[in-house]
Structures are given as structure tokens and as C-alpha cells.
Amino acid sequence: KMILLLSAFFVIGALYCVLYYCVDIYVVEKALGNSVLSGLLTAIGTIASFIVGVLFGKIYIHTRRFMPVIFFLACGIGFLALAFTQNGFIVASAAAIAGGAYGMSVSYYAMVITELVPESKMSLSMAFYQVVFNVSIFLAPYFPIIIGILTKNNSLSGSFVYIGSILVFGGALSLIM
């Protein structure tokens, strides 16, 4: 069960962080603006993640088992919206939705691991959690390259379609698992 949890955490972490680290490329590719907008979109995602983190306990009480479904679907929908729009309001909203979903996943997986693992193995399991967290962030910028090679589409927006689809699939998979 721990491997499954950490694998799911890796997927959402690596795929969300594509937006976080490649936002400049996205803004230029879509001709949305300049580095000020890139910084703003990153800040919007971070603020949404922070807000969801603060509210996590209240959200968890009401969603419990369905929380992975919610954050995978929300993040996937955010990426799909980013792939298909150039509207500033929709782009900002999608960045907030994806950022909030990622923040929810970070809190969720940390909490579930602490509930699942015996106290004697807690430090080791949290070390694995932190390793997965950092490796997913490190590998994130390579995913659009891999997607581009596999699909012969080198646009970041094109990779967002695949990333969004993978995340939506992850949400559907979370529903049945």
C-alpha cells in the first residue's frame, strides 16, 4: 500500500511541477505576456496551495476517501484548461485550481502515511515521502520533453493535454481503488 501511495504522490507531484517550472515557456508559447505574468501564475498556484493546506483538516473531514479523486481531477482539469485557452482569467483560475489540488495532495499523502505506518517505522516512511517529493520535483521539467518525443508534439500546451489526461485518469483510478 505504501508503494502505491508514494507512486501516486510521485505522479501528481512530477506532473504538477511541470507547470511550476515551465510557466515561462507556457506564457511565451501562448503569447500571454511576459515574466511578470509567469511570476503571477506561479504565485497564484502557491497561494492556492497554501490556502488548501490551511483548510486541509476541514476539507478532509468532508471528503476523506474521495480526496485523491478530487485532487487528481482538479489538477487534470486545470492542465486541460491551460492547454486550450488564452483567456487570462481562465489561465489564472486554472493555475489556482492546479496549485490548490497539488497542495491538497502534499498534505493528504503525508497524513495518510502517518496513519498507515507504525510509529517505529515513521521516520523511515517520512524519509521515503520526502525522497519521492524531491525526486518528482527534480524530474518534472523532463516530462514535457518525454511527452514531446513520444507524441512528436514539442509544444508545452500539447504536453499539457497529455498531463491533464493522465491526471484525470489518475482521478478515475483513485475512485475504484
Side-chain angles (χ1 to χ4, degrees), residues 27-123:
V27 167
V28 168
E29 183 180 287
K30 290 282 200 167
L32 295 172
N34 57 25
S35 60
V36 173
L37 181 61
S38 298
L40 183 62
L41 291 175
T42 302
I44 288 169
T46 302
I47 291 167
S49 179
F50 170 77
I51 291 169
V52 169
V54 168
L55 299 173
F56 178 78
K58 292 182 189 306
I59 296 168
Y60 181 75
I61 288 169
H62 298 292
T63 60
R64 294 190 191 271
R65 178 175 122 53
F66 296 105
M67 192 169 266
V69 176
I70 294 166
F71 60 69
F72 268 100
L73 288 176
C75 199
I77 289 167
F79 270 90
L80 291 170
L82 289 167
F84 294 113
T85 191
Q86 288 184 278
N87 178 291
F89 178 75
I90 295 172
V91 167
S93 299
I97 290 167
Y102 176 65
M104 186 184 295
S105 75
V106 170
S107 297
Y108 174 82
Y109 288 115
M111 186 205 65
V112 169
I113 288 168
T114 61
E115 290 178 343
L116 184 68
V117 174
E119 194 172 327
S120 63
K121 305 238 190 231
M122 188 62 61
S123 60

Coordinates of all heavy atoms in Angstrom, one line a residue, residues 27-123:
V27 N 3.8 30.8 -21.0 CA 3.4 32.2 -21.2 C 3.9 32.7 -22.5 O 3.1 33.4 -23.3 CB 3.9 33.1 -20.0 CG1 3.7 34.6 -20.4 CG2 3.1 32.8 -18.7
V28 N 5.1 32.4 -22.9 CA 5.7 32.8 -24.2 C 5.0 32.1 -25.3 O 4.6 32.7 -26.3 CB 7.2 32.6 -24.2 CG1 7.8 32.7 -25.6 CG2 7.9 33.5 -23.3
E29 N 4.8 30.8 -25.2 CA 4.2 29.9 -26.2 C 2.8 30.4 -26.5 O 2.4 30.4 -27.7 CB 4.2 28.5 -25.8 CG 3.6 27.5 -26.8 CD 3.7 26.1 -26.2 OE1 4.8 25.5 -26.2 OE2 2.6 25.6 -25.9
K30 N 2.0 30.8 -25.5 CA 0.7 31.2 -25.7 C 0.5 32.7 -25.9 O -0.6 33.2 -26.1 CB -0.2 30.9 -24.4 CG -0.4 29.4 -24.2 CD -1.5 28.9 -25.2 CE -2.2 27.7 -24.7 NZ -3.4 27.3 -25.4
A31 N 1.7 33.4 -26.0 CA 1.7 34.9 -26.1 C 0.8 35.6 -25.2 O 0.0 36.4 -25.5 CB 1.4 35.2 -27.6
L32 N 0.9 35.2 -23.9 CA 0.0 35.7 -22.9 C 0.6 37.0 -22.2 O -0.1 37.8 -21.6 CB -0.2 34.7 -21.8 CG -1.0 33.4 -22.2 CD1 -1.0 32.4 -21.1 CD2 -2.4 33.8 -22.6
G33 N 1.9 37.1 -22.3 CA 2.5 38.3 -21.6 C 4.0 38.1 -21.4 O 4.6 37.5 -22.3
N34 N 4.5 38.5 -20.3 CA 5.9 38.4 -20.0 C 6.2 37.7 -18.7 O 5.3 37.1 -18.1 CB 6.5 39.8 -20.1 CG 5.9 40.8 -19.1 OD1 5.3 40.3 -18.1 ND2 5.9 42.1 -19.4
S35 N 7.4 37.9 -18.2 CA 7.8 37.2 -17.0 C 7.0 37.7 -15.7 O 6.9 37.0 -14.8 CB 9.3 37.4 -16.7 OG 9.6 38.8 -16.6
V36 N 6.4 38.9 -15.8 CA 5.6 39.3 -14.7 C 4.4 38.4 -14.6 O 4.0 37.9 -13.5 CB 5.1 40.8 -14.9 CG1 4.1 41.2 -13.9 CG2 6.3 41.7 -14.9
L37 N 3.8 38.0 -15.7 CA 2.6 37.1 -15.7 C 3.1 35.7 -15.2 O 2.4 35.0 -14.5 CB 2.0 37.0 -17.0 CG 0.8 36.0 -17.1 CD1 -0.3 36.5 -16.1 CD2 0.2 35.9 -18.5
S38 N 4.3 35.3 -15.6 CA 4.8 34.0 -15.2 C 4.9 34.0 -13.7 O 4.5 33.0 -13.0 CB 6.2 33.7 -15.8 OG 6.1 33.7 -17.2
G39 N 5.5 35.0 -13.1 CA 5.6 35.1 -11.7 C 4.3 35.1 -11.0 O 4.1 34.5 -9.9
L40 N 3.3 35.8 -11.6 CA 2.0 35.9 -11.0 C 1.3 34.5 -11.0 O 0.7 34.2 -10.0 CB 1.1 36.9 -11.8 CG -0.3 37.2 -11.3 CD1 -0.2 37.8 -9.9 CD2 -1.0 38.1 -12.2
L41 N 1.4 33.8 -12.1 CA 0.8 32.5 -12.2 C 1.4 31.5 -11.2 O 0.7 30.7 -10.5 CB 0.9 31.9 -13.6 CG 0.1 32.6 -14.7 CD1 0.4 32.0 -16.0 CD2 -1.4 32.5 -14.4
T42 N 2.7 31.6 -11.0 CA 3.4 30.8 -10.0 C 2.9 31.1 -8.6 O 2.6 30.3 -7.8 CB 4.9 30.9 -10.1 OG1 5.3 30.6 -11.4 CG2 5.6 30.0 -9.1
A43 N 2.8 32.4 -8.4 CA 2.3 32.9 -7.1 C 0.9 32.5 -6.8 O 0.5 32.1 -5.7 CB 2.4 34.4 -7.0
I44 N 0.0 32.5 -7.8 CA -1.4 32.1 -7.7 C -1.4 30.7 -7.3 O -2.2 30.3 -6.4 CB -2.2 32.4 -9.0 CG1 -2.4 33.9 -9.1 CG2 -3.5 31.7 -9.0 CD1 -2.9 34.3 -10.5
G45 N -0.7 29.8 -8.0 CA -0.7 28.4 -7.6 C -0.2 28.1 -6.2 O -0.7 27.3 -5.5
T46 N 0.9 28.9 -5.8 CA 1.4 28.7 -4.5 C 0.4 29.2 -3.4 O 0.3 28.6 -2.4 CB 2.8 29.5 -4.4 OG1 3.7 29.0 -5.4 CG2 3.4 29.4 -3.0
I47 N -0.2 30.3 -3.6 CA -1.2 30.8 -2.7 C -2.4 29.9 -2.5 O -2.8 29.6 -1.4 CB -1.7 32.3 -3.1 CG1 -0.5 33.3 -2.9 CG2 -2.9 32.7 -2.3 CD1 -0.8 34.6 -3.6
A48 N -2.8 29.3 -3.7 CA -3.9 28.4 -3.6 C -3.5 27.1 -2.8 O -4.3 26.6 -2.0 CB -4.4 28.0 -5.0
S49 N -2.3 26.7 -3.0 CA -1.7 25.5 -2.3 C -1.7 25.8 -0.8 O -2.1 25.0 0.0 CB -0.3 25.2 -2.8 OG 0.2 24.1 -2.2
F50 N -1.2 27.0 -0.5 CA -1.2 27.4 0.9 C -2.6 27.5 1.6 O -2.8 26.9 2.7 CB -0.5 28.8 1.0 CG -0.6 29.5 2.4 CD1 0.2 29.1 3.4 CD2 -1.6 30.4 2.6 CE1 0.1 29.6 4.7 CE2 -1.7 31.0 3.9 CZ -0.9 30.6 4.9
I51 N -3.5 28.0 0.9 CA -4.9 28.1 1.4 C -5.5 26.7 1.6 O -6.1 26.5 2.7 CB -5.8 29.0 0.5 CG1 -5.3 30.4 0.5 CG2 -7.3 28.9 0.9 CD1 -6.0 31.3 -0.5
V52 N -5.3 25.9 0.7 CA -5.8 24.5 0.8 C -5.1 23.8 2.0 O -5.7 23.0 2.7 CB -5.7 23.7 -0.5 CG1 -5.9 22.2 -0.3 CG2 -6.6 24.3 -1.6
G53 N -3.8 24.1 2.1 CA -3.1 23.5 3.2 C -3.6 23.9 4.6 O -3.8 23.1 5.5
V54 N -3.9 25.2 4.7 CA -4.5 25.7 5.9 C -5.9 25.1 6.2 O -6.2 24.8 7.4 CB -4.6 27.2 5.9 CG1 -5.4 27.8 7.0 CG2 -3.2 27.9 5.9
L55 N -6.7 24.9 5.2 CA -8.0 24.4 5.3 C -8.1 22.8 5.2 O -9.2 22.3 5.2 CB -8.9 25.0 4.2 CG -9.1 26.5 4.3 CD1 -9.9 27.0 3.0 CD2 -9.7 26.9 5.6
F56 N -6.9 22.2 5.1 CA -6.9 20.7 4.8 C -7.7 19.9 5.8 O -8.5 19.1 5.4 CB -5.5 20.2 4.8 CG -5.4 18.7 4.6 CD1 -5.5 18.2 3.3 CD2 -5.2 17.9 5.6 CE1 -5.5 16.9 3.1 CE2 -5.2 16.5 5.4 CZ -5.3 16.0 4.2
G57 N -7.6 20.2 7.1 CA -8.4 19.4 8.1 C -9.9 19.5 7.8 O -10.6 18.4 7.9
K58 N -10.4 20.6 7.6 CA -11.8 20.8 7.3 C -12.2 20.1 6.0 O -13.3 19.5 6.0 CB -12.2 22.3 7.3 CG -12.0 23.0 8.7 CD -12.5 24.4 8.6 CE -12.1 25.2 9.8 NZ -12.6 24.8 11.0
I59 N -11.4 20.2 5.0 CA -11.7 19.6 3.7 C -11.7 18.1 3.9 O -12.6 17.4 3.4 CB -10.7 20.0 2.6 CG1 -10.9 21.6 2.4 CG2 -11.0 19.3 1.3 CD1 -9.7 22.1 1.5
Y60 N -10.7 17.6 4.6 CA -10.6 16.1 4.7 C -11.7 15.5 5.5 O -12.2 14.4 5.1 CB -9.3 15.8 5.5 CG -9.0 14.3 5.6 CD1 -8.7 13.5 4.6 CD2 -9.3 13.7 6.9 CE1 -8.5 12.2 4.7 CE2 -9.1 12.3 7.0 CZ -8.7 11.6 5.9 OH -8.6 10.2 6.0
I61 N -12.2 16.2 6.5 CA -13.4 15.7 7.2 C -14.6 15.4 6.3 O -15.3 14.4 6.5 CB -13.8 16.7 8.3 CG1 -12.8 16.7 9.5 CG2 -15.2 16.4 8.9 CD1 -12.9 17.8 10.5
H62 N -14.8 16.2 5.3 CA -15.9 16.1 4.4 C -15.6 15.2 3.2 O -16.6 14.8 2.5 CB -16.4 17.5 4.0 CG -16.8 18.3 5.1 ND1 -18.0 18.1 5.8 CD2 -16.3 19.4 5.6 CE1 -18.1 19.0 6.8 NE2 -17.1 19.8 6.7
T63 N -14.4 15.0 2.9 CA -14.1 14.3 1.6 C -13.4 12.9 1.8 O -13.5 12.1 0.9 CB -13.2 15.1 0.7 OG1 -12.0 15.5 1.3 CG2 -14.0 16.4 0.3
R64 N -12.7 12.8 2.9 CA -11.9 11.6 3.2 C -11.5 10.7 2.1 O -10.5 11.0 1.4 CB -12.7 10.7 4.2 CG -12.9 11.4 5.6 CD -13.4 10.4 6.6 NE -13.8 11.2 7.8 CZ -13.0 11.4 8.8 NH1 -11.8 11.0 8.7 NH2 -13.4 12.1 9.8
R65 N -12.2 9.6 1.8 CA -11.9 8.6 0.8 C -11.8 9.2 -0.6 O -11.1 8.7 -1.4 CB -12.9 7.5 0.9 CG -12.6 6.4 -0.1 CD -13.6 5.2 0.1 NE -14.4 4.9 -1.0 CZ -14.0 4.6 -2.3 NH1 -12.8 4.7 -2.6 NH2 -14.9 4.3 -3.2
F66 N -12.5 10.2 -0.9 CA -12.6 10.8 -2.2 C -11.6 11.9 -2.5 O -11.6 12.4 -3.6 CB -14.0 11.3 -2.5 CG -15.0 10.2 -2.5 CD1 -15.9 10.0 -1.4 CD2 -15.1 9.3 -3.5 CE1 -16.8 9.0 -1.4 CE2 -16.0 8.2 -3.5 CZ -16.9 8.1 -2.4
M67 N -10.8 12.2 -1.5 CA -9.8 13.3 -1.7 C -8.9 13.1 -2.8 O -8.7 14.0 -3.6 CB -9.1 13.6 -0.4 CG -8.3 14.8 -0.4 SD -7.6 15.3 1.2 CE -9.0 16.4 1.7
P68 N -8.3 11.9 -3.0 CA -7.4 11.7 -4.2 C -8.2 11.9 -5.5 O -7.6 12.4 -6.5 CB -6.9 10.3 -4.1 CG -7.0 9.9 -2.6 CD -8.2 10.7 -2.1
V69 N -9.4 11.5 -5.6 CA -10.2 11.7 -6.8 C -10.3 13.2 -7.0 O -10.1 13.6 -8.2 CB -11.6 11.1 -6.6 CG1 -12.5 11.4 -7.8 CG2 -11.6 9.6 -6.4
I70 N -10.6 13.9 -6.0 CA -10.8 15.4 -6.1 C -9.5 16.0 -6.6 O -9.5 16.8 -7.6 CB -11.3 16.0 -4.8 CG1 -12.7 15.5 -4.5 CG2 -11.3 17.5 -4.9 CD1 -13.1 15.7 -3.1
F71 N -8.4 15.8 -5.9 CA -7.2 16.5 -6.3 C -6.6 16.0 -7.7 O -6.1 16.9 -8.4 CB -6.1 16.6 -5.2 CG -5.6 15.4 -4.6 CD1 -4.7 14.5 -5.4 CD2 -5.8 15.1 -3.3 CE1 -4.1 13.4 -4.8 CE2 -5.2 14.0 -2.7 CZ -4.4 13.1 -3.5
F72 N -6.7 14.8 -8.0 CA -6.3 14.4 -9.4 C -7.2 15.0 -10.4 O -6.6 15.5 -11.4 CB -6.3 12.8 -9.5 CG -5.0 12.2 -9.1 CD1 -4.8 11.6 -7.9 CD2 -3.9 12.1 -10.0 CE1 -3.6 11.0 -7.5 CE2 -2.7 11.5 -9.7 CZ -2.6 11.0 -8.5
L73 N -8.5 14.9 -10.3 CA -9.4 15.5 -11.3 C -9.2 17.0 -11.4 O -9.1 17.6 -12.5 CB -10.8 15.2 -10.9 CG -11.3 13.8 -11.2 CD1 -12.7 13.6 -10.7 CD2 -11.1 13.4 -12.6
A74 N -9.1 17.7 -10.2 CA -8.9 19.2 -10.2 C -7.6 19.6 -10.9 O -7.6 20.5 -11.8 CB -9.0 19.7 -8.8
C75 N -6.6 18.9 -10.6 CA -5.3 19.2 -11.2 C -5.3 18.9 -12.7 O -4.9 19.7 -13.6 CB -4.2 18.4 -10.6 SG -2.5 19.1 -10.9
G76 N -5.9 17.8 -13.1 CA -6.1 17.4 -14.5 C -6.9 18.4 -15.3 O -6.6 18.8 -16.4
I77 N -8.0 18.9 -14.7 CA -8.9 19.8 -15.4 C -8.1 21.2 -15.5 O -8.3 21.9 -16.5 CB -10.2 20.0 -14.6 CG1 -11.0 18.7 -14.8 CG2 -11.0 21.2 -15.0 CD1 -12.2 18.6 -13.8
G78 N -7.4 21.5 -14.5 CA -6.5 22.7 -14.6 C -5.6 22.7 -15.7 O -5.5 23.6 -16.5
F79 N -4.9 21.6 -15.9 CA -4.0 21.4 -17.0 C -4.7 21.4 -18.4 O -4.2 22.0 -19.4 CB -3.1 20.2 -16.9 CG -1.9 20.4 -16.2 CD1 -1.8 20.2 -14.8 CD2 -0.7 20.8 -16.8 CE1 -0.6 20.5 -14.1 CE2 0.5 21.0 -16.1 CZ 0.5 20.9 -14.8
L80 N -5.9 20.8 -18.5 CA -6.6 20.8 -19.7 C -7.1 22.2 -20.1 O -7.0 22.6 -21.2 CB -7.8 19.8 -19.6 CG -7.4 18.3 -19.6 CD1 -8.5 17.4 -19.3 CD2 -6.7 17.9 -20.9
A81 N -7.5 22.9 -19.0 CA -7.9 24.3 -19.3 C -6.7 25.2 -19.8 O -6.9 25.9 -20.7 CB -8.5 24.9 -18.0
L82 N -5.6 25.0 -19.2 CA -4.4 25.7 -19.6 C -4.0 25.3 -21.1 O -3.5 26.2 -21.8 CB -3.2 25.4 -18.7 CG -3.3 26.0 -17.3 CD1 -2.2 25.4 -16.4 CD2 -3.1 27.5 -17.3
A83 N -4.2 24.1 -21.4 CA -3.9 23.7 -22.8 C -4.7 24.3 -23.9 O -4.2 24.6 -25.0 CB -4.0 22.1 -22.9
F84 N -5.9 24.6 -23.5 CA -6.9 25.0 -24.6 C -7.3 26.5 -24.5 O -8.2 26.9 -25.3 CB -8.1 24.1 -24.5 CG -7.8 22.7 -24.9 CD1 -7.9 21.7 -24.0 CD2 -7.4 22.4 -26.2 CE1 -7.7 20.4 -24.3 CE2 -7.1 21.1 -26.5 CZ -7.3 20.1 -25.6
T85 N -6.7 27.3 -23.6 CA -7.2 28.7 -23.5 C -6.1 29.7 -23.6 O -4.9 29.3 -23.3 CB -8.0 28.9 -22.2 OG1 -8.7 30.2 -22.3 CG2 -7.1 28.9 -21.0
Q86 N -6.4 30.9 -23.9 CA -5.5 32.0 -23.9 C -6.2 33.2 -23.1 O -5.6 34.2 -23.0 CB -5.1 32.5 -25.2 CG -4.2 31.6 -25.9 CD -3.7 32.1 -27.3 OE1 -4.4 32.0 -28.3 NE2 -2.5 32.7 -27.3
N87 N -7.3 32.9 -22.5 CA -8.0 33.8 -21.7 C -7.3 34.0 -20.3 O -7.1 33.0 -19.6 CB -9.5 33.4 -21.5 CG -10.3 34.3 -20.6 OD1 -10.1 34.4 -19.4 ND2 -11.2 35.0 -21.2
G88 N -6.9 35.2 -20.0 CA -6.2 35.5 -18.8 C -6.9 35.0 -17.5 O -6.2 34.4 -16.6
F89 N -8.2 35.2 -17.4 CA -8.9 34.8 -16.2 C -8.9 33.3 -16.1 O -8.7 32.8 -15.0 CB -10.4 35.4 -16.2 CG -11.2 34.9 -15.1 CD1 -11.0 35.5 -13.8 CD2 -12.1 33.9 -15.2 CE1 -11.7 35.1 -12.7 CE2 -12.9 33.5 -14.1 CZ -12.7 34.1 -12.9
I90 N -9.2 32.6 -17.2 CA -9.2 31.1 -17.1 C -7.8 30.6 -16.8 O -7.7 29.7 -16.0 CB -9.7 30.6 -18.5 CG1 -11.2 31.0 -18.6 CG2 -9.6 29.0 -18.5 CD1 -11.8 30.6 -20.0
V91 N -6.8 31.2 -17.4 CA -5.4 30.8 -17.1 C -5.1 30.9 -15.6 O -4.6 30.0 -15.0 CB -4.4 31.5 -18.0 CG1 -3.0 31.3 -17.5 CG2 -4.5 31.1 -19.4
A92 N -5.5 32.1 -15.0 CA -5.2 32.3 -13.6 C -6.0 31.4 -12.7 O -5.5 30.8 -11.8 CB -5.5 33.8 -13.3
S93 N -7.3 31.1 -13.1 CA -8.1 30.2 -12.4 C -7.6 28.8 -12.5 O -7.6 28.0 -11.5 CB -9.6 30.2 -12.9 OG -10.1 31.5 -12.8
A94 N -7.1 28.4 -13.7 CA -6.6 27.0 -13.8 C -5.3 26.8 -13.0 O -5.1 25.8 -12.4 CB -6.3 26.8 -15.3
A95 N -4.5 27.9 -12.9 CA -3.2 27.8 -12.1 C -3.6 27.7 -10.6 O -3.0 26.9 -9.9 CB -2.4 29.1 -12.3
A96 N -4.7 28.4 -10.2 CA -5.1 28.3 -8.8 C -5.7 26.9 -8.5 O -5.4 26.3 -7.5 CB -6.2 29.4 -8.5
I97 N -6.5 26.4 -9.4 CA -7.1 25.1 -9.2 C -6.0 24.0 -9.2 O -6.0 23.1 -8.3 CB -8.1 24.8 -10.3 CG1 -9.3 25.7 -10.2 CG2 -8.5 23.3 -10.3 CD1 -10.3 25.7 -11.4
A98 N -5.1 24.0 -10.1 CA -4.0 23.0 -10.1 C -3.1 23.2 -8.9 O -2.7 22.2 -8.2 CB -3.1 23.2 -11.4
G99 N -2.8 24.4 -8.5 CA -2.0 24.6 -7.3 C -2.6 24.2 -6.0 O -2.0 23.5 -5.2
G100 N -3.9 24.5 -5.9 CA -4.7 24.0 -4.7 C -4.8 22.5 -4.7 O -4.6 21.9 -3.6
A101 N -5.0 21.9 -5.8 CA -5.0 20.4 -5.9 C -3.7 19.8 -5.5 O -3.6 18.8 -4.7 CB -5.4 20.0 -7.3
Y102 N -2.6 20.4 -6.0 CA -1.3 19.9 -5.6 C -1.0 20.0 -4.1 O -0.6 19.1 -3.4 CB -0.2 20.6 -6.4 CG 1.2 20.2 -6.0 CD1 1.7 18.9 -6.2 CD2 2.1 21.1 -5.3 CE1 2.9 18.5 -5.8 CE2 3.3 20.7 -5.0 CZ 3.8 19.4 -5.2 OH 5.0 19.0 -4.8
G103 N -1.4 21.2 -3.5 CA -1.3 21.4 -2.1 C -2.1 20.4 -1.3 O -1.6 19.9 -0.3
M104 N -3.3 20.1 -1.8 CA -4.1 19.1 -1.1 C -3.4 17.7 -1.2 O -3.4 17.0 -0.2 CB -5.4 19.0 -1.8 CG -6.5 18.1 -1.1 SD -8.0 18.0 -2.1 CE -8.6 19.6 -2.0
S105 N -2.8 17.4 -2.3 CA -2.1 16.1 -2.4 C -0.9 16.0 -1.4 O -0.7 14.9 -0.8 CB -1.7 15.8 -3.8 OG -0.5 16.5 -4.2
V106 N -0.2 17.1 -1.3 CA 1.0 17.0 -0.4 C 0.6 16.8 1.0 O 1.1 15.9 1.7 CB 1.8 18.4 -0.5 CG1 2.9 18.5 0.6 CG2 2.4 18.6 -1.9
S107 N -0.5 17.5 1.5 CA -1.0 17.2 2.8 C -1.6 15.9 3.0 O -1.4 15.2 4.0 CB -2.0 18.3 3.2 OG -1.5 19.6 3.2
Y108 N -2.4 15.4 2.0 CA -3.1 14.2 2.1 C -2.1 13.0 2.2 O -2.2 12.1 3.1 CB -3.9 14.0 0.8 CG -4.6 12.6 0.8 CD1 -5.7 12.3 1.5 CD2 -4.0 11.6 0.0 CE1 -6.3 11.1 1.4 CE2 -4.6 10.3 -0.1 CZ -5.7 10.1 0.7 OH -6.3 8.8 0.6
Y109 N -1.1 12.9 1.3 CA -0.2 11.8 1.4 C 0.7 11.8 2.6 O 0.9 10.7 3.2 CB 0.7 11.7 0.1 CG -0.1 11.3 -1.1 CD1 -0.3 12.2 -2.2 CD2 -0.7 10.1 -1.2 CE1 -1.1 11.8 -3.3 CE2 -1.5 9.7 -2.2 CZ -1.6 10.6 -3.3 OH -2.4 10.2 -4.4
A110 N 1.1 12.9 3.1 CA 1.8 13.0 4.4 C 0.9 12.4 5.5 O 1.4 11.7 6.3 CB 2.3 14.4 4.7
M111 N -0.3 12.9 5.5 CA -1.2 12.4 6.6 C -1.5 10.9 6.5 O -1.5 10.2 7.5 CB -2.6 13.2 6.5 CG -3.5 12.9 7.7 SD -5.2 13.2 7.3 CE -5.5 11.9 6.1
V112 N -1.8 10.4 5.3 CA -2.1 9.0 5.2 C -0.9 8.1 5.6 O -1.1 7.1 6.2 CB -2.6 8.7 3.7 CG1 -2.7 7.2 3.5 CG2 -4.0 9.4 3.5
I113 N 0.2 8.6 5.2 CA 1.4 7.8 5.5 C 1.6 7.7 7.1 O 1.9 6.6 7.6 CB 2.7 8.4 4.9 CG1 2.6 8.1 3.4 CG2 4.0 7.8 5.5 CD1 3.6 8.8 2.5
T114 N 1.3 8.8 7.7 CA 1.5 8.8 9.2 C 0.4 7.9 9.9 O 0.6 7.4 10.9 CB 1.4 10.2 9.8 OG1 0.2 10.8 9.5 CG2 2.5 11.1 9.3
E115 N -0.8 7.8 9.2 CA -1.8 6.9 9.8 C -1.5 5.5 9.5 O -1.9 4.6 10.2 CB -3.2 7.3 9.2 CG -3.7 8.6 9.7 CD -5.0 9.0 9.0 OE1 -5.4 8.4 8.0 OE2 -5.7 9.8 9.6
L116 N -0.9 5.2 8.3 CA -0.7 3.8 7.8 C 0.5 3.1 8.5 O 0.4 1.9 8.7 CB -0.5 3.9 6.3 CG -0.4 2.6 5.6 CD1 -1.7 1.9 5.6 CD2 0.1 2.9 4.1
V117 N 1.5 3.9 8.8 CA 2.8 3.3 9.2 C 2.8 3.2 10.8 O 2.5 4.1 11.4 CB 3.9 4.1 8.7 CG1 5.3 3.7 9.2 CG2 3.9 4.1 7.2
P118 N 3.4 2.1 11.3 CA 3.6 2.0 12.7 C 4.6 3.1 13.2 O 5.5 3.4 12.4 CB 4.1 0.6 13.0 CG 4.1 -0.1 11.7 CD 3.8 0.9 10.6
E119 N 4.5 3.5 14.4 CA 5.3 4.6 14.9 C 6.8 4.2 14.8 O 7.6 5.1 14.5 CB 5.0 4.9 16.4 CG 5.6 6.2 16.9 CD 5.1 6.6 18.2 OE1 3.9 6.3 18.6 OE2 5.9 7.1 19.0
S120 N 7.1 2.9 15.0 CA 8.5 2.5 14.9 C 9.1 2.7 13.5 O 10.4 2.8 13.4 CB 8.7 1.1 15.3 OG 8.0 0.2 14.4
K121 N 8.3 2.8 12.5 CA 8.8 3.0 11.1 C 8.5 4.4 10.5 O 8.7 4.6 9.4 CB 8.1 1.9 10.2 CG 8.3 0.5 10.7 CD 9.0 -0.3 9.6 CE 8.9 -1.7 10.1 NZ 10.1 -2.4 10.1
M122 N 8.0 5.3 11.4 CA 7.6 6.6 11.0 C 8.7 7.4 10.3 O 8.5 8.0 9.2 CB 7.0 7.4 12.1 CG 6.4 8.7 11.7 SD 5.0 8.5 10.6 CE 3.9 7.5 11.6
S123 N 9.9 7.4 10.9 CA 11.0 8.2 10.4 C 11.4 7.7 9.0 O 11.7 8.5 8.1 CB 12.1 8.3 11.3 OG 12.7 7.1 11.6

